[in-house]
């Protein structure tokens, strides 16, 4: 296996974001790309990552490879990559070799770890509503509610998306109307659900990589955030709901 | 009551500065503007804030309103305002609603708190000397003496303003001559007084908002710093002296 | 004694770097420049600093002056110098007066301390290899190995310079080839030695001041890093080896 990226950004930033949710994970490297599906230790969030073969300048994979790594270690190494470095990934002697090449050649060897865990299955979810908006707009809204409380309500209507939170005394209410930057595809008139702000803050960081996010949710049902760039990257997150006792 | 600001800066930065001195305060909203007069909990510093009605694009006040708020809460909300947001303040159901409007509409509701405290009276002070200088110059000088000690001497003469501090072993001595950026209006030949560096650091932050500061002081007597922009903002501070035992 | 610098940078940054290794030191001020030779408290590293008389706009020294100072105090004062300030150093009443002059005149007085310590002698070292490279390249390499372990191996060959580190499980290996930016002058085919990453991080900070560094080392023998700018500054470091038990 030998994989070379000309642009470190997608791998580097994705691993940095994922490592905030999961510290150890199993990568599956197939002819179509690098994949990772992992649950966070609290079993509240799932991350699904795929970096497509087409984003590599060199992509040699003879047979499917499974590779478990400590993501903090990997993140630290990838952080050392400068924007113009070529990154090569190779497996040798039960190590992953990450080579950063510019004028100098810098090689880091990371241990491949053992993970017994069975493969994570991506749940089959269906949603009554899909809101597609600017990633930055979601970032702003989550930062807004972060000053108020630990959980946030997502309320989808046919013509607007509302994000709101209530603290002991204070409240926040953000209205994003359907317009040229926000589209709402709805099979229901109104959908309302509640999620953890802390997890959302970690997930929405993917807005640095992909300018558009698709948001799907339903009452007492998981949320799905999907960040996608054609032929390159897919980074999506599934988050368990906060069930309201009311 | 409905007040709308087109430019968040003056309100946002003022509240941020004031909240370093006072955590809860009573605003008085009259036909001429929003006012706040408050003492810090240690009774060492007073802050006097006035944002004039003329800095608002919409200013509807039927009768005088008194409104006590936790300034940290208010600061957190105002921090969420971006430079192009319109800010609207309204009172509803014993809450202050702060609306930030750009493409989205974001509303924060803050509790109006109870404050028994009687109204603060602004003391009637008269000074033998007024030094008007660049706000940045005062910032630099206070940062200079901050490395030396906890208190600073302000020494005004007819042709120069001296800021000095003495630590256990070290000393600092800054001389600002009267010139095109610094004017000194003096009824005495020399005035010397001592104040707390820690408080001055919090106060001089108003230099971010207003480029000119008027400095007034007298021996064993309070200091007054006044930051003013015509038709908009007045932010001034009164600071008790450090009386020397010598 | 009266010394004036038109450009604070060399003195300011050098003292800041040296103060990370040594907190008190004796300066020797002669007709040729200001010198300092000091060991760190753990006796692992020596710093040799010389700021030549030719980098001053005014340099009056009648007889040799010895001056012991707390470098943290001096650093704090020099940090207050802005790029366009003129810095003047004078001795008066057992104090060092540092004057920063722009539109204002700011004078700091620092105590001259007592140091019994006998003069540090610079050891007479000879090396089988000298590698001259870009300071930034050394900075990058040390930051690379810093994520792996506490000690680093320097390996010099006739055509390349290798910096490598091994942690419990991970490894880093950086190859810098001899080329237009890196020259290797070797009396031996291969030289390998081991040093502390923590000390190297403090020393390599001199790359901010001087773009080229000369690196000299030998097996179980000290390392020498030399940063030099003609007619101005010489800042060099000697670092004891980490002797390997193998």
């Amino acid at each position: 296996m030998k994989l070379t990226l000309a642009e470190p950004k997608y791998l580097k930033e994705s691993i940095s974001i994922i490592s905030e949710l999961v510290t150890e994970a199993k990568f599956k490297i197939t002819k179509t790309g690098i994949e990772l599906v992992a649950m966070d230790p609290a079993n509240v969030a799932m991350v699904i990552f795929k970096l497509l073969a087409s984003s590599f300048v060199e992509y040699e994979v003879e047979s499917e490879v499974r590779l478990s790594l400590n993501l903090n270690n990997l993140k630290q190494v990838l952080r050392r990559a400068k924007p113009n470095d070529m990154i090569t990934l190779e497996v040798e002697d039960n190590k992953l070799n990450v080579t950063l090449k510019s004028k100098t050649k810098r090689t880091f060897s990371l241990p491949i770890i053992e993970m017994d865990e069975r493969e994570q299955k991506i749940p089959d979810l269906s949603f009554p509503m899909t809101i597609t908006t600017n990633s930055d707009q979601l970032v702003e809204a989550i930062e807004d509610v972060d000053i108020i409380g630990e959980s946030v309500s997502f309320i989808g209507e046919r013509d607007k998306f509302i994000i709101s939170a209530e603290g002991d005394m204070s409240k926040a209410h953000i209205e994003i109307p359907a317009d040229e930057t926000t589209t709402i595809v709805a099979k229901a008139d109104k959908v309302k659900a509640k999620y953890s702000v802390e997890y959302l803050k970690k997930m929405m960081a993917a807005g640095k990589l992909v300018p558009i996010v698709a948001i799907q949710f339903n009452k007492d049902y998981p949320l799905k955030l999907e960040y996608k760039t054609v032929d390159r990257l897919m980074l999506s997150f599934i988050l368990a709901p906060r069930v309201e006792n009311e």
Side-chain angles (χ1 to χ4, degrees), chain A residues 40-63:
Chain A
D40 88 299
N43 253 24
V44 170
M46 173 175 268
V47 54
I48 305 150
F49 165 70
K50 184 155 192 176
L51 190 61
L52 295 171
S54 48
S55 37
F56 291 80
V57 290
E58 183 179 12
Y59 196 88
E60 284 171 24
V61 178
E62 275 165 36
S63 59

Side-chain angles (χ1 to χ4, degrees), chain A residues 32-47:
Chain A
T32 62
I34 298 184
E35 290 172 49
L36 176 159
V37 179
M39 284 300 290
D40 88 299
N43 253 24
V44 170
M46 173 175 268
V47 54

